[in-house]
Amino acid sequence: MDAFEAIQQRRSVRLFSGQPIAKEALERIADAGRLAPSARNLQPWEFVVVTDRRMLGELGAMAEAGRFLAQSAAAIAVFCRDTKRYLEDGSAATQNMLIAATALGIGSCWIAGDKKPWAGQVAERLGAPPDYRLVNLIALGYPKEKTASPSKRPLSEVVHWEKF
């Protein structure tokens, strides 16, 4: 699958089949995050890959909008050192991982973590150093069913040439 196809097919998946994800696939997804651009090439990210069922359940219980983590095959917690552009850098890494997962036939869902009241609890539970911020959690798993394509505004409505 090429990059454009993966971008077009990416969906937020919250219902997973229960099939485990191979370690090699998880490493490829994390590697896509590692290759993202970052401000001044600081690469402030660290990724915690979670496959333990009990831990996935705990994370799901902590993350108010991420209860479905308990049914995912894996999750990646995206942490960044608290730099000036940590949120932008972590978001770029996350988007790379979402697209990589899609290219591998793996469903994903971005669960915002930054500034959430439970972010510190997740960071502590996963052993993150105090100078790292939780950017988000990524739920991963093979989709249980096909997710419908959400409506998107046409290109002609969002692209402006020369000025707004």
Side-chain angles (χ1 to χ4, degrees):
M1 175 180 307
D2 75 14
F4 289 101
E5 189 177 356
I7 291 168
Q8 289 172 338
Q9 289 186 18
R10 197 216 62 79
R11 304 284 177 270
S12 292
V13 175
R14 294 176 181 85
L15 292 173
F16 303 104
S17 71
Q19 176 185 350
I21 300 171
K23 181 180 179 183
E24 295 76 21
L26 293 168
E27 287 175 338
R28 287 187 73 192
I29 292 167
D31 196 38
R34 178 186 68 87
L35 296 172
S38 64
R40 296 179 25 230
N41 197 33
L42 289 177
Q43 305 170 55
W45 41 67
E46 302 288 335
F47 311 127
V48 178
V49 180
V50 177
T51 58
D52 179 76
R53 303 287 333 140
R54 188 174 47 85
M55 180 63 80
L56 290 167
E58 287 180 34
L59 294 174
M62 290 180 213
E64 60 203 31
R67 305 284 184 231
F68 54 91
L69 273 167
Q71 282 74 48
S72 66
I76 298 178
V78 178
F79 290 97
C80 282
R81 273 189 323 277
D82 195 0
T83 63
K84 186 175 182 179
R85 303 275 185 251
Y86 77 91
L87 188 56
E88 293 88 343
D89 294 344
S91 295
T94 298
Q95 183 67 7
N96 273 14
M97 288 189 273
L98 297 174
I99 293 168
T102 300
L104 295 172
I106 297 167
S108 63
C109 190
W110 178 325
I111 303 161
D114 186 56
K115 301 176 190 78
K116 297 294 182 189
W118 45 267
Q121 186 181 7
V122 169
E124 184 178 320
R125 184 66 181 94
L126 295 178
D131 59 332
Y132 278 78
R133 307 273 306 255
L134 176 68
V135 175
N136 58 58
L137 296 166
I138 303 171
L140 296 164
Y142 291 97
K144 187 173 187 172
E145 57 192 35
K146 186 170 171 68
T147 305
S149 220
S151 173
K152 297 290 184 180
R153 294 169 50 202
L155 184 64
S156 62
E157 286 185 13
V158 299
V159 172
H160 309 276
W161 296 93
E162 310 310 335
K163 64 185 224 180
F164 200 99

